[in-house]
Amino acid sequence: MGDVKIESSWKQCLQQEFDKPYFTQLTAFVRTEYQRTSCFPPGKLIFNAFNLCPFDKVKVVIIGQDPYHEQGQAMGLSFSVPDGIAMPPSLVNIFKEIQADLGVAMPASGNLTRWAQQGVLLLNATLTVRAHQAASHQRKGWETFTDAVIKVLNERCEHLVFILWGGYARSKAALIHRDRHLVLESVHPSPLSANRGGWFGNHHFSQCNAYLCQHGITPIAW
């Protein structure tokens, strides 16, 4: 595979992954899927999370599972949708919690590019999906790759905040050294989980910023 179009600091950190057989197979699978059928996000945005947030700028990692699978929603950032696209229910609940936690008013757009540019790595475990078919690209190799991303951040960085919402994201906690990083866990912000309790009032956004400030790192303007 060798030449993956990804931001240079990430390319350096992840080159050994790109050279592994699984990644070559994954690339072939993704390329074929994009040629044969409609897939999301657009090809040039598959590594958007990395391109907007270079390795040495990462402060916070928010782990999602799968890209949105309807037209126009996925933009290569977990939970984010482009300007002009209606906010999915999970994202509405995220902003409701930010409002309750920090007093920040609900924004007009669900585009989280501004978070990424401040050092929030919005990482989906699977980076592509077939249109209208949730989870269609799971277990093809992406998870191996994104686990490697979590491991390299865990090992080479200090004082990161890993935000894990829902069972799937929380399963990644095993990859993170809690003595070096802050791990915040709760139920998923989707209405199904959030309305059962444990989402609203989790105070993840204020806890995250308090930890960053404690370690002399500029907090995130959520």
Side-chain angles (χ1 to χ4, degrees):
M1 173 61 194
D3 190 34
V4 176
K5 289 183 172 57
I6 192 170
E7 191 276 330
S8 59
S9 63
W10 283 109
K11 190 163 200 167
Q12 216 173 337
C13 293
L14 300 170
Q15 187 61 55
Q16 61 194 39
E17 294 304 308
F18 300 142
D19 293 337
K20 289 178 181 175
Y22 87 85
F23 200 86
T24 307
Q25 291 164 356
L26 170 63
T27 304
F29 165 76
V30 170
R31 196 168 279 149
T32 304
E33 283 283 284
Y34 272 74
Q35 283 164 357
R36 281 188 185 162
T37 183
S38 181
C39 294
F40 302 125
K44 68 180 188 298
L45 295 179
I46 292 172
F47 293 112
N48 197 25
F50 302 90
N51 295 336
L52 289 173
C53 184
F55 180 79
D56 57 351
K57 298 283 192 283
V58 178
K59 300 175 183 180
V60 182
V61 183
I62 298 181
I63 298 175
Q65 190 161 359
D66 227 27
Y68 295 124
H69 53 265
E70 296 304 332
Q71 186 65 43
Q73 292 182 312
M75 55 182 296
L77 305 175
S78 61
F79 297 101
S80 181
V81 290
D83 295 330
I85 297 289
M87 281 189 219
S90 294
L91 190 52
V92 171
N93 283 342
I94 288 169
F95 284 127
K96 281 182 180 171
E97 176 56 24
I98 289 171
Q99 189 164 15
D101 190 15
L102 297 172
V104 176
M106 183 83 91
S109 170
N111 186 336
L112 304 182
T113 296
R114 62 192 176 83
W115 290 7
Q117 289 168 334
Q118 294 179 76
V120 182
L121 182 68
L122 294 158
L123 181 67
N124 277 322
T126 303
L127 297 187
T128 57
V129 70
R130 198 182 284 184
H132 322 303
Q133 293 180 43
S136 47
H137 287 185
Q138 285 180 11
R139 292 177 292 281
K140 302 292 183 187
W142 276 131
E143 296 90 340
T144 307
F145 172 70
T146 51
D147 278 1
V149 171
I150 296 167
K151 287 173 190 165
V152 78
L153 287 164
N154 173 59
E155 285 159 16
R156 296 198 198 176
C157 304
E158 285 192 342
H159 311 313
L160 297 181
V161 181
F162 288 87
I163 299 182
L164 312 178
W165 296 327
Y168 183 82
R170 293 172 86 166
S171 72
K172 305 296 181 185
L175 304 173
I176 302 159
H177 295 312
R178 290 175 187 259
D179 52 346
R180 290 176 64 179
H181 306 290
L182 177 64
V183 179
L184 297 174
E185 302 182 51
S186 79
V187 300
H188 198 274
S190 70
L192 194 65
S193 308
N195 296 340
R196 284 201 296 256
W199 168 257
F200 295 109
N202 70 21
H203 299 294
H204 279 184
F205 304 96
S206 58
Q207 286 183 64
C208 170
N209 279 353
Y211 178 84
L212 293 175
C213 290
Q214 195 185 323
H215 293 284
I217 301 163
T218 307
I220 306 298
W222 299 105

